[in-house]
Each structure stands twice: as C-alpha cells, then as structure tokens.
Coordinates of all heavy atoms in Angstrom, one line a residue:
M1 N -75.8 113.7 -64.3 CA -75.3 112.7 -63.4 C -74.8 111.5 -64.2 O -73.9 110.9 -63.7 CB -76.6 112.2 -62.6 CG -76.3 111.1 -61.6 SD -75.3 111.9 -60.2 CE -75.6 110.8 -59.0
S2 N -75.3 111.2 -65.3 CA -74.8 110.0 -66.1 C -73.4 110.3 -66.6 O -72.6 109.4 -66.7 CB -75.7 109.7 -67.2 OG -75.8 110.7 -68.1
Q3 N -73.1 111.5 -66.9 CA -71.8 111.8 -67.3 C -70.8 111.7 -66.2 O -69.6 111.3 -66.4 CB -71.6 113.4 -67.8 CG -72.4 113.5 -69.1 CD -72.4 115.0 -69.6 OE1 -72.0 115.8 -68.8 NE2 -72.7 115.2 -70.8
L4 N -71.2 112.0 -65.0 CA -70.4 111.8 -63.8 C -70.1 110.3 -63.6 O -68.9 109.9 -63.3 CB -71.0 112.4 -62.6 CG -70.2 112.3 -61.2 CD1 -68.9 113.1 -61.3 CD2 -71.0 112.8 -60.1
L5 N -71.1 109.5 -63.7 CA -70.9 108.0 -63.5 C -70.1 107.4 -64.7 O -69.2 106.6 -64.4 CB -72.3 107.4 -63.5 CG -73.1 107.6 -62.2 CD1 -74.5 107.0 -62.5 CD2 -72.5 107.0 -61.1
H6 N -70.2 108.0 -65.9 CA -69.4 107.5 -67.0 C -67.9 107.8 -66.8 O -67.0 107.0 -66.9 CB -69.9 108.1 -68.3 CG -69.1 107.8 -69.5 ND1 -69.0 106.5 -70.0 CD2 -68.3 108.6 -70.2 CE1 -68.1 106.6 -71.0 NE2 -67.7 107.7 -71.2
H7 N -67.7 109.1 -66.3 CA -66.3 109.4 -66.1 C -65.7 108.7 -64.9 O -64.5 108.3 -65.0 CB -66.3 110.9 -65.7 CG -64.9 111.4 -65.5 ND1 -64.0 111.6 -66.5 CD2 -64.3 112.0 -64.3 CE1 -62.8 112.0 -65.9 NE2 -63.0 112.2 -64.6
A8 N -66.5 108.4 -63.9 CA -66.0 107.6 -62.8 C -65.6 106.2 -63.2 O -64.5 105.7 -62.8 CB -67.0 107.5 -61.6
M9 N -66.5 105.5 -64.0 CA -66.2 104.3 -64.5 C -65.0 104.3 -65.4 O -64.2 103.3 -65.4 CB -67.4 103.6 -65.2 CG -68.4 103.2 -64.2 SD -67.9 102.1 -63.0 CE -67.4 100.7 -64.0
T10 N -64.8 105.2 -66.2 CA -63.7 105.3 -67.2 C -62.4 105.5 -66.3 O -61.5 104.8 -66.7 CB -63.9 106.6 -68.1 OG1 -65.1 106.5 -68.8 CG2 -62.8 106.7 -69.1
V11 N -62.4 106.3 -65.3 CA -61.2 106.4 -64.5 C -60.9 105.1 -63.8 O -59.8 104.7 -63.7 CB -61.3 107.6 -63.6 CG1 -60.2 107.6 -62.6 CG2 -61.4 108.9 -64.4
L12 N -61.9 104.5 -63.1 CA -61.7 103.4 -62.3 C -61.4 102.1 -63.2 O -60.5 101.4 -62.8 CB -63.0 103.0 -61.5 CG -63.3 104.0 -60.4 CD1 -64.6 103.7 -59.7 CD2 -62.2 104.1 -59.4
A13 N -62.0 101.9 -64.2 CA -61.8 100.6 -65.0 C -60.7 100.8 -66.0 O -59.9 99.9 -66.3 CB -63.2 100.3 -65.8
D14 N -60.6 102.0 -66.6 CA -59.5 102.2 -67.7 C -58.2 102.8 -67.3 O -57.5 103.2 -68.1 CB -60.2 102.9 -68.9 CG -61.3 102.0 -69.5 OD1 -61.4 100.8 -69.3 OD2 -62.2 102.7 -70.1
G15 N -58.2 103.2 -66.0 CA -56.9 103.8 -65.5 C -55.7 102.9 -65.8 O -55.8 101.9 -66.2
D16 N -54.6 103.7 -65.6 CA -53.3 102.9 -65.9 C -53.1 101.7 -65.1 O -52.9 100.7 -65.6 CB -52.1 104.0 -65.8 CG -50.8 103.4 -66.2 OD1 -50.9 102.4 -67.0 OD2 -49.8 103.9 -65.7
P17 N -53.1 101.7 -63.8 CA -53.1 100.5 -63.0 C -54.4 99.7 -63.0 O -54.5 98.5 -62.9 CB -52.7 100.8 -61.6 CG -53.2 102.3 -61.5 CD -53.2 102.9 -62.9
G18 N -55.5 100.5 -63.3 CA -56.9 99.8 -63.2 C -57.2 99.4 -61.8 O -56.7 98.5 -61.3
V19 N -58.2 100.2 -61.3 CA -58.6 100.0 -59.9 C -59.5 98.8 -59.8 O -59.4 97.9 -58.9 CB -59.4 101.1 -59.4 CG1 -59.9 101.0 -58.0 CG2 -58.5 102.4 -59.4
I20 N -60.3 98.6 -60.8 CA -61.2 97.4 -60.8 C -60.5 96.3 -61.6 O -60.2 96.5 -62.8 CB -62.6 97.7 -61.6 CG1 -63.3 98.8 -60.8 CG2 -63.4 96.5 -61.6 CD1 -64.5 99.3 -61.4
P21 N -60.3 95.2 -60.9 CA -59.5 94.0 -61.6 C -60.3 93.4 -62.7 O -61.6 93.3 -62.6 CB -59.2 93.1 -60.5 CG -60.3 93.4 -59.5 CD -60.6 94.8 -59.6
N22 N -59.7 92.9 -63.7 CA -60.4 92.2 -64.8 C -60.5 90.8 -64.5 O -59.7 90.0 -65.0 CB -59.7 92.5 -66.1 CG -60.4 92.0 -67.3 OD1 -61.6 91.7 -67.1 ND2 -59.8 92.0 -68.4
Y23 N -61.4 90.4 -63.6 CA -61.5 89.1 -63.1 C -63.1 88.7 -63.2 O -63.9 89.4 -62.8 CB -61.1 88.9 -61.7 CG -61.3 87.6 -61.0 CD1 -60.5 86.6 -61.4 CD2 -62.2 87.5 -60.1 CE1 -60.7 85.3 -60.7 CE2 -62.5 86.3 -59.4 CZ -61.6 85.1 -59.9 OH -61.9 84.0 -59.3
K24 N -63.2 87.4 -63.8 CA -64.6 86.9 -64.0 C -64.5 85.6 -63.2 O -63.9 84.6 -63.8 CB -65.0 86.8 -65.3 CG -65.1 88.2 -66.0 CD -65.6 87.9 -67.4 CE -65.9 89.3 -68.1 NZ -64.8 89.9 -68.7
P25 N -65.2 85.3 -62.0 CA -65.2 84.1 -61.4 C -65.9 83.1 -62.1 O -67.1 83.3 -62.6 CB -65.7 84.4 -59.9 CG -66.6 85.6 -60.2 CD -65.9 86.5 -61.3
E26 N -65.4 81.9 -62.3 CA -66.1 80.8 -62.9 C -65.8 79.6 -62.0 O -64.9 79.3 -61.5 CB -65.5 80.6 -64.3 CG -65.8 81.7 -65.2 CD -65.2 81.3 -66.7 OE1 -64.7 80.2 -66.9 OE2 -65.3 82.2 -67.5
V27 N -66.9 78.7 -62.0 CA -66.8 77.4 -61.3 C -66.2 76.5 -62.3 O -66.6 76.5 -63.5 CB -68.2 77.0 -60.9 CG1 -68.1 75.6 -60.2 CG2 -68.9 78.0 -59.9
P28 N -65.2 75.6 -61.9 CA -64.6 74.7 -62.7 C -65.6 73.8 -63.4 O -66.7 73.5 -62.9 CB -63.6 73.9 -61.8 CG -63.4 74.8 -60.6 CD -64.7 75.7 -60.4
G29 N -65.2 73.1 -64.5 CA -66.0 72.4 -65.4 C -66.7 71.3 -64.7 O -67.9 70.9 -64.9
T30 N -66.0 70.5 -63.7 CA -66.6 69.4 -63.0 C -67.9 69.8 -62.1 O -68.7 69.0 -61.9 CB -65.6 68.6 -62.2 OG1 -65.0 69.5 -61.3 CG2 -64.6 68.0 -63.1
L31 N -67.8 71.0 -61.7 CA -68.9 71.4 -60.7 C -69.8 72.4 -61.4 O -70.9 72.8 -60.8 CB -68.1 72.3 -59.5 CG -67.3 71.6 -58.6 CD1 -66.7 72.5 -57.6 CD2 -68.1 70.4 -57.9
Q32 N -69.6 72.7 -62.6 CA -70.4 73.8 -63.3 C -71.9 73.4 -63.5 O -72.7 74.1 -63.1 CB -69.9 74.1 -64.7 CG -70.4 75.3 -65.2 CD -69.5 75.9 -66.4 OE1 -68.6 75.1 -66.8 NE2 -69.8 77.1 -66.8
T33 N -72.2 72.1 -63.9 CA -73.5 71.8 -64.1 C -74.3 71.7 -62.9 O -75.4 72.4 -62.7 CB -73.6 70.5 -64.9 OG1 -72.9 70.7 -66.2 CG2 -75.1 70.2 -65.3
P34 N -74.0 70.8 -61.9 CA -74.8 70.7 -60.7 C -74.8 71.9 -59.8 O -75.8 72.4 -59.3 CB -74.2 69.5 -59.9 CG -72.8 69.3 -60.5 CD -72.9 69.8 -61.8
T35 N -73.7 72.6 -59.7 CA -73.5 73.8 -58.8 C -74.2 75.0 -59.5 O -74.9 75.7 -58.9 CB -72.1 74.1 -58.7 OG1 -71.4 73.0 -58.1 CG2 -72.0 75.3 -57.7
G36 N -74.2 75.0 -60.8 CA -74.8 76.1 -61.6 C -76.3 76.0 -61.5 O -77.0 77.0 -61.2
K37 N -76.9 74.8 -61.4 CA -78.4 74.6 -61.2 C -78.7 75.0 -59.8 O -79.7 75.6 -59.6 CB -78.7 73.2 -61.5 CG -78.8 72.8 -63.0 CD -79.2 71.4 -63.2 CE -79.2 71.1 -64.7 NZ -79.7 69.7 -64.9
I38 N -77.9 74.5 -58.9 CA -78.3 74.8 -57.5 C -78.2 76.3 -57.2 O -79.0 76.9 -56.6 CB -77.3 74.0 -56.5 CG1 -77.7 72.5 -56.6 CG2 -77.5 74.6 -55.1 CD1 -76.6 71.7 -55.8
L39 N -77.1 76.9 -57.7 CA -77.0 78.3 -57.5 C -78.1 79.2 -58.2 O -78.5 80.2 -57.7 CB -75.6 78.8 -57.9 CG -74.4 78.4 -57.1 CD1 -73.1 78.9 -57.7 CD2 -74.6 78.9 -55.7
G40 N -78.4 78.7 -59.3 CA -79.5 79.3 -60.1 C -80.8 79.3 -59.4 O -81.5 80.3 -59.3
W41 N -81.2 78.2 -58.9 CA -82.4 78.0 -58.2 C -82.4 78.7 -56.9 O -83.4 79.5 -56.5 CB -82.8 76.5 -57.9 CG -83.4 75.8 -59.0 CD1 -82.8 75.0 -59.9 CD2 -84.7 75.9 -59.3 NE1 -83.7 74.6 -60.9 CE2 -84.9 75.0 -60.5 CE3 -85.9 76.5 -58.9 CZ2 -86.1 74.9 -61.2 CZ3 -87.1 76.3 -59.5 CH2 -87.3 75.5 -60.6
T42 N -81.3 78.7 -56.2 CA -81.2 79.4 -54.9 C -81.2 80.9 -55.1 O -81.8 81.6 -54.4 CB -79.8 79.1 -54.2 OG1 -79.8 77.6 -54.0 CG2 -79.7 79.7 -52.9
A43 N -80.5 81.4 -56.2 CA -80.5 82.8 -56.4 C -81.9 83.4 -56.8 O -82.4 84.3 -56.3 CB -79.5 83.2 -57.4
G44 N -82.6 82.6 -57.7 CA -83.8 83.0 -58.1 C -84.8 83.0 -57.0 O -85.6 84.1 -56.8
I45 N -84.9 81.9 -56.3 CA -85.9 81.9 -55.2 C -85.6 82.8 -54.1 O -86.4 83.5 -53.4 CB -86.1 80.4 -54.7 CG1 -86.7 79.5 -55.7 CG2 -86.9 80.4 -53.4 CD1 -86.6 78.0 -55.4
G46 N -84.3 82.9 -53.7 CA -83.8 83.7 -52.6 C -84.0 85.2 -53.0 O -84.5 85.9 -52.0
L47 N -83.7 85.6 -54.2 CA -83.9 87.0 -54.5 C -85.4 87.4 -54.6 O -85.9 88.5 -54.2 CB -83.3 87.4 -55.9 CG -81.7 87.4 -55.8 CD1 -81.2 87.6 -57.1 CD2 -81.2 88.5 -54.9
A48 N -86.3 86.5 -55.0 CA -87.7 86.6 -55.0 C -88.2 86.8 -53.6 O -89.0 87.8 -53.3 CB -88.5 85.5 -55.7
L49 N -87.8 86.0 -52.7 CA -88.1 86.1 -51.2 C -87.6 87.4 -50.6 O -88.2 88.0 -49.7 CB -87.7 84.9 -50.5 CG -88.4 83.6 -50.8 CD1 -87.8 82.4 -50.1 CD2 -89.9 83.6 -50.5
A50 N -86.4 87.8 -51.1 CA -85.9 89.1 -50.5 C -86.6 90.2 -50.9 O -87.0 91.1 -50.1 CB -84.4 89.3 -51.0
V51 N -87.1 90.3 -52.2 CA -88.0 91.3 -52.7 C -89.3 91.3 -52.0 O -89.8 92.3 -51.6 CB -88.1 91.2 -54.2 CG1 -89.3 92.1 -54.7 CG2 -86.8 91.6 -54.9
L52 N -89.9 90.1 -51.8 CA -91.2 89.9 -51.1 C -91.0 90.4 -49.6 O -91.9 91.1 -49.1 CB -91.6 88.5 -51.1 CG -93.0 88.2 -50.5 CD1 -94.1 89.0 -51.2 CD2 -93.2 86.7 -50.4
G53 N -89.9 90.1 -49.0 CA -89.7 90.5 -47.6 C -89.6 92.1 -47.5 O -90.0 92.7 -46.5
G54 N -88.8 92.6 -48.6 CA -88.7 94.1 -48.5 C -90.1 94.7 -48.8 O -90.4 95.8 -48.1
L55 N -90.9 94.2 -49.7 CA -92.2 94.9 -49.8 C -93.1 94.7 -48.6 O -93.7 95.6 -48.3 CB -92.9 94.2 -51.0 CG -92.3 94.5 -52.4 CD1 -92.9 93.6 -53.5 CD2 -92.4 95.9 -52.7
A56 N -92.9 93.5 -47.9 CA -93.8 93.2 -46.7 C -93.2 94.2 -45.5 O -94.0 94.8 -44.8 CB -93.6 91.9 -46.3
G57 N -91.9 94.6 -45.6 CA -91.4 95.6 -44.6 C -91.9 96.9 -44.9 O -92.2 97.6 -43.9
W58 N -91.9 97.4 -46.1 CA -92.5 98.7 -46.4 C -93.9 98.7 -46.1 O -94.4 99.8 -45.5 CB -92.3 99.0 -47.9 CG -90.9 99.4 -48.2 CD1 -89.9 98.8 -49.0 CD2 -90.2 100.6 -47.8 NE1 -88.8 99.4 -49.0 CE2 -88.9 100.5 -48.4 CE3 -90.5 101.7 -47.0 CZ2 -88.0 101.5 -48.0 CZ3 -89.6 102.7 -46.7 CH2 -88.3 102.6 -47.4
A59 N -94.7 97.7 -46.2 CA -96.1 97.6 -45.9 C -96.3 97.8 -44.4 O -97.2 98.5 -43.9 CB -96.8 96.4 -46.4
C60 N -95.5 97.1 -43.6 CA -95.5 97.2 -42.2 C -95.1 98.6 -41.6 O -95.7 99.0 -40.7 CB -94.5 96.2 -41.5 SG -95.0 94.5 -41.6
I61 N -94.2 99.3 -42.3 CA -93.9 100.6 -41.9 C -95.1 101.5 -42.2 O -95.4 102.3 -41.4 CB -92.6 101.0 -42.8 CG1 -91.3 100.4 -42.2 CG2 -92.4 102.6 -42.6 CD1 -90.2 100.7 -43.0
A62 N -95.6 101.4 -43.4 CA -96.8 102.2 -43.7 C -97.9 102.0 -42.7 O -98.6 103.0 -42.3 CB -97.2 101.9 -45.1
I63 N -98.2 100.7 -42.4 CA -99.3 100.5 -41.6 C -99.0 100.9 -40.1 O -99.8 101.5 -39.4 CB -99.7 99.0 -41.5 CG1 -100.3 98.6 -42.9 CG2 -100.7 98.6 -40.4 CD1 -100.4 97.1 -43.2
G64 N -97.7 100.7 -39.8 CA -97.3 101.1 -38.4 C -97.4 102.6 -38.1 O -97.8 103.0 -37.0
H65 N -96.9 103.4 -39.1 CA -96.9 104.8 -39.0 C -98.3 105.4 -39.0 O -98.6 106.3 -38.3 CB -96.0 105.4 -40.0 CG -94.5 105.4 -39.7 ND1 -94.1 105.9 -38.5 CD2 -93.5 104.8 -40.4 CE1 -92.7 105.7 -38.5 NE2 -92.4 105.0 -39.6
N66 N -99.2 104.8 -39.9 CA -100.5 105.4 -40.0 C -101.5 104.9 -39.0 O -102.4 105.6 -38.6 CB -101.2 105.0 -41.4 CG -100.4 105.7 -42.5 OD1 -99.9 106.8 -42.4 ND2 -100.4 105.1 -43.7
S67 N -101.1 103.9 -38.2 CA -102.0 103.4 -37.1 C -101.4 103.6 -35.8 O -101.8 103.1 -34.8 CB -102.4 102.0 -37.3 OG -101.2 101.1 -37.3
E68 N -100.3 104.3 -35.8 CA -99.5 104.7 -34.5 C -99.1 103.4 -33.8 O -99.2 103.3 -32.5 CB -100.3 105.6 -33.7 CG -100.6 107.0 -34.3 CD -101.3 107.9 -33.4 OE1 -101.7 107.4 -32.2 OE2 -101.7 108.9 -33.9
R69 N -98.6 102.4 -34.6 CA -98.2 101.2 -33.9 C -96.6 101.2 -34.2 O -96.1 100.8 -35.2 CB -98.7 99.9 -34.5 CG -100.2 99.8 -34.2 CD -100.7 98.6 -34.8 NE -102.1 98.4 -34.5 CZ -102.9 97.7 -35.2 NH1 -102.5 96.9 -36.2 NH2 -104.3 97.7 -34.9
A70 N -95.8 101.7 -33.2 CA -94.4 101.9 -33.4 C -93.7 100.6 -33.5 O -92.8 100.4 -34.2 CB -93.8 102.7 -32.3
G71 N -94.2 99.6 -32.9 CA -93.5 98.2 -32.9 C -93.7 97.6 -34.3 O -92.6 97.0 -34.8
L72 N -94.8 97.8 -35.0 CA -95.0 97.3 -36.3 C -94.0 98.0 -37.3 O -93.4 97.4 -38.2 CB -96.4 97.3 -36.8 CG -96.8 96.7 -38.1 CD1 -96.5 95.2 -38.1 CD2 -98.2 97.1 -38.4
A73 N -93.9 99.3 -37.2 CA -92.9 100.1 -38.0 C -91.5 99.7 -37.9 O -90.8 99.6 -38.8 CB -93.2 101.6 -37.8
A74 N -91.1 99.4 -36.6 CA -89.8 99.1 -36.3 C -89.5 97.7 -36.8 O -88.5 97.4 -37.5 CB -89.6 98.9 -34.7
R75 N -90.5 96.7 -36.8 CA -90.3 95.4 -37.4 C -90.2 95.4 -39.0 O -89.5 94.8 -39.6 CB -91.3 94.4 -37.0 CG -91.2 93.8 -35.6 CD -92.3 92.8 -35.3 NE -93.5 93.6 -35.3 CZ -94.6 93.3 -34.5 NH1 -94.4 92.3 -33.7 NH2 -95.7 93.9 -34.6
G76 N -90.9 96.4 -39.5 CA -90.8 96.7 -41.0 C -89.5 97.1 -41.3 O -88.9 96.8 -42.4
K77 N -88.8 98.0 -40.5 CA -87.5 98.5 -40.8 C -86.5 97.4 -40.8 O -85.6 97.4 -41.5 CB -87.2 99.7 -39.9 CG -88.0 100.9 -40.1 CD -87.7 102.0 -39.2 CE -88.7 103.1 -39.3 NZ -88.6 104.2 -38.2
Q78 N -86.7 96.5 -39.7 CA -85.7 95.4 -39.6 C -86.0 94.4 -40.9 O -85.0 93.9 -41.4 CB -86.0 94.6 -38.4 CG -85.5 95.3 -37.1 CD -85.8 94.5 -35.9 OE1 -86.6 93.6 -35.9 NE2 -85.1 94.9 -34.8
A79 N -87.1 94.3 -41.3 CA -87.4 93.4 -42.5 C -86.7 93.9 -43.7 O -86.2 93.2 -44.5 CB -88.9 93.2 -42.7
I80 N -86.8 95.2 -43.8 CA -86.1 95.8 -45.1 C -84.6 95.7 -45.0 O -84.0 95.3 -45.9 CB -86.5 97.3 -45.1 CG1 -87.9 97.4 -45.5 CG2 -85.6 98.0 -46.3 CD1 -88.5 98.8 -45.4
M81 N -84.0 95.8 -43.7 CA -82.6 95.7 -43.6 C -82.1 94.3 -43.9 O -81.1 94.0 -44.5 CB -82.2 96.2 -42.3 CG -82.2 97.6 -42.0 SD -81.4 98.6 -43.3 CE -79.7 98.1 -42.9
W82 N -82.9 93.3 -43.3 CA -82.6 91.8 -43.6 C -82.7 91.5 -45.0 O -82.0 90.6 -45.5 CB -83.3 91.0 -42.6 CG -82.7 91.0 -41.3 CD1 -83.2 91.6 -40.1 CD2 -81.4 90.6 -40.9 NE1 -82.4 91.4 -39.0 CE2 -81.2 90.8 -39.5 CE3 -80.4 90.0 -41.5 CZ2 -80.2 90.5 -38.8 CZ3 -79.2 89.7 -40.8 CH2 -79.1 89.9 -39.4
S83 N -83.7 92.0 -45.7 CA -83.9 91.7 -47.1 C -82.7 92.2 -47.9 O -82.3 91.5 -48.8 CB -85.2 92.4 -47.6 OG -86.3 91.8 -47.0
L84 N -82.2 93.4 -47.6 CA -81.0 93.9 -48.3 C -79.8 93.1 -48.0 O -79.0 92.8 -48.9 CB -80.8 95.4 -47.9 CG -81.6 96.4 -48.4 CD1 -81.5 97.7 -47.7 CD2 -81.6 96.5 -49.9
V85 N -79.6 92.6 -46.8 CA -78.5 91.8 -46.4 C -78.5 90.5 -47.1 O -77.6 89.9 -47.6 CB -78.5 91.6 -44.8 CG1 -77.4 90.5 -44.4 CG2 -78.0 92.8 -44.2
S86 N -79.7 89.8 -47.2 CA -79.9 88.5 -47.8 C -79.7 88.7 -49.3 O -79.0 87.7 -49.9 CB -81.3 88.0 -47.6 OG -82.3 88.7 -48.1
G87 N -80.1 89.7 -49.9 CA -79.8 89.9 -51.3 C -78.3 90.1 -51.6 O -77.8 89.5 -52.7
M88 N -77.6 90.8 -50.7 CA -76.2 90.9 -51.0 C -75.5 89.6 -50.7 O -74.5 89.2 -51.4 CB -75.6 91.9 -49.9 CG -75.9 93.3 -50.4 SD -75.1 94.6 -49.4 CE -76.2 94.5 -47.9
G89 N -76.0 88.8 -49.8 CA -75.4 87.4 -49.6 C -75.6 86.4 -50.7 O -74.7 85.8 -51.1
I90 N -76.8 86.7 -51.3 CA -77.0 85.7 -52.5 C -76.0 86.2 -53.7 O -75.6 85.4 -54.4 CB -78.4 85.8 -52.9 CG1 -79.3 85.2 -51.9 CG2 -78.7 85.3 -54.3 CD1 -80.8 85.4 -52.1
G91 N -75.8 87.5 -53.7 CA -74.9 88.1 -54.8 C -73.5 87.6 -54.8 O -72.8 87.4 -55.7
V92 N -73.0 87.2 -53.5 CA -71.6 86.8 -53.4 C -71.5 85.3 -53.3 O -70.4 84.8 -53.0 CB -70.9 87.5 -52.2 CG1 -70.9 88.9 -52.2 CG2 -71.6 87.0 -50.9
T93 N -72.6 84.5 -53.5 CA -72.6 83.1 -53.3 C -71.5 82.4 -54.3 O -70.9 81.6 -53.9 CB -74.0 82.5 -53.5 OG1 -74.7 83.1 -52.5 CG2 -74.0 81.0 -53.3
S94 N -71.6 82.9 -55.6 CA -70.8 82.2 -56.5 C -69.3 82.4 -56.2 O -68.4 81.6 -56.5 CB -71.1 82.7 -58.0 OG -70.8 84.1 -58.0
G95 N -68.9 83.7 -55.8 CA -67.5 83.9 -55.3 C -67.1 83.0 -54.2 O -66.0 82.5 -54.1
L96 N -68.1 82.7 -53.3 CA -67.7 81.9 -52.1 C -67.5 80.5 -52.5 O -66.6 79.8 -52.1 CB -68.8 82.1 -51.1 CG -68.9 83.4 -50.3 CD1 -70.1 83.3 -49.4 CD2 -67.6 83.6 -49.5
V97 N -68.4 80.1 -53.4 CA -68.2 78.7 -53.9 C -66.8 78.4 -54.6 O -66.1 77.5 -54.3 CB -69.3 78.2 -54.9 CG1 -69.1 76.9 -55.6 CG2 -70.6 78.2 -54.1
L98 N -66.4 79.4 -55.4 CA -65.2 79.3 -56.1 C -64.0 79.4 -55.1 O -63.1 78.6 -55.3 CB -65.1 80.5 -57.2 CG -63.8 80.5 -57.9 CD1 -63.7 79.3 -58.8 CD2 -63.7 81.8 -58.9
A99 N -64.1 80.3 -54.1 CA -63.1 80.4 -53.1 C -62.8 79.1 -52.3 O -61.7 78.6 -52.2 CB -63.3 81.5 -52.2
F100 N -64.0 78.4 -51.9 CA -63.8 77.2 -51.1 C -63.3 76.0 -52.0 O -62.5 75.3 -51.7 CB -65.2 76.8 -50.5 CG -65.5 77.7 -49.4 CD1 -66.8 78.4 -49.3 CD2 -64.7 77.8 -48.3 CE1 -67.1 79.1 -48.2 CE2 -65.0 78.6 -47.1 CZ -66.2 79.3 -47.2
Y101 N -63.7 76.1 -53.4 CA -63.2 75.1 -54.2 C -61.7 75.2 -54.4 O -61.0 74.2 -54.4 CB -64.0 75.2 -55.7 CG -63.4 74.1 -56.6 CD1 -63.8 72.8 -56.5 CD2 -62.5 74.5 -57.5 CE1 -63.4 71.9 -57.4 CE2 -62.0 73.6 -58.5 CZ -62.4 72.3 -58.4 OH -61.9 71.3 -59.2
N102 N -61.2 76.4 -54.6 CA -59.8 76.7 -54.8 C -59.0 76.3 -53.6 O -57.9 75.9 -53.7 CB -59.6 78.1 -55.2 CG -60.0 78.4 -56.7 OD1 -60.0 77.4 -57.5 ND2 -60.2 79.6 -57.0
M103 N -59.6 76.6 -52.4 CA -58.9 76.2 -51.1 C -58.8 74.6 -51.0 O -57.8 74.2 -50.5 CB -59.6 76.7 -50.0 CG -59.4 78.3 -49.7 SD -60.0 78.7 -48.1 CE -61.8 78.9 -48.5
T104 N -59.8 74.0 -51.5 CA -59.7 72.5 -51.4 C -58.7 71.9 -52.4 O -58.2 70.8 -52.2 CB -61.0 71.8 -51.6 OG1 -61.6 72.2 -52.8 CG2 -62.0 72.4 -50.4
Q105 N -58.4 72.6 -53.5 CA -57.6 72.2 -54.5 C -56.2 72.6 -54.3 O -55.3 72.1 -55.0 CB -58.0 72.7 -55.9 CG -59.4 72.2 -56.3 CD -59.4 70.7 -56.3 OE1 -58.7 70.0 -56.8 NE2 -60.5 70.1 -55.7
G106 N -55.9 73.4 -53.3 CA -54.5 73.8 -53.0 C -54.0 74.9 -53.9 O -52.8 75.0 -54.1
K107 N -54.9 75.7 -54.5 CA -54.4 76.8 -55.4 C -54.1 78.1 -54.8 O -54.7 78.4 -53.8 CB -55.5 77.1 -56.6 CG -55.6 75.8 -57.5 CD -56.6 76.1 -58.6 CE -56.7 75.0 -59.6 NZ -57.6 75.2 -60.6

C-alpha cells in the first residue's frame, strides 16, 4: 500500500505539468504576529474540541446501540460528522484569511 501511495504522490507532484501546485499560503508580515497567535489558539482549542466531540459521539453510539436507544446512537453519528466538518473548517482557516486579505488589497 505504501508503494502505491508513493507512486501516486510521485505522479501527482512531480509530473510534467504538476497536478499539485507548489504554493504555500502565508499571511503578510503586518498581520503575521497577531493573526498567527489568534489562528494558533483557535486551531489548537478548536481541534481539541473537535476530537473531544468525536470521542463523545463514538461513546453515544456505543451506549445507544448497547442499550437499544436509537436516538442516542443517531445523535452520536451526527456528533461525529460535525466534528469532522469542524476539523476541516479549522484546516482551511489560514487560506481563508489570506484570500480575504488579498481581496481587500486588490491583488
């Protein structure tokens, strides 16, 4: 399996046109210190809460299925899905900040 992943990354990243762009988003220098701190705290706390929500969701599923409480299991499944969505949202935050900054600068 690892050889398959290695080959896929080699083809995607090192191909002639290069499917994956060589782009690293960075916040401009004037925003880097305060925004970096805010994004760091938000990402750290948010991801910790997303993991906690996912674990609580799995616990609700386990309790709901073992005690024949379908409603509790259904809420647990929703908690897991929302934890995944929130984790992905936190992951794209820096890109959104950079995009909004560039829009206000007219780039």
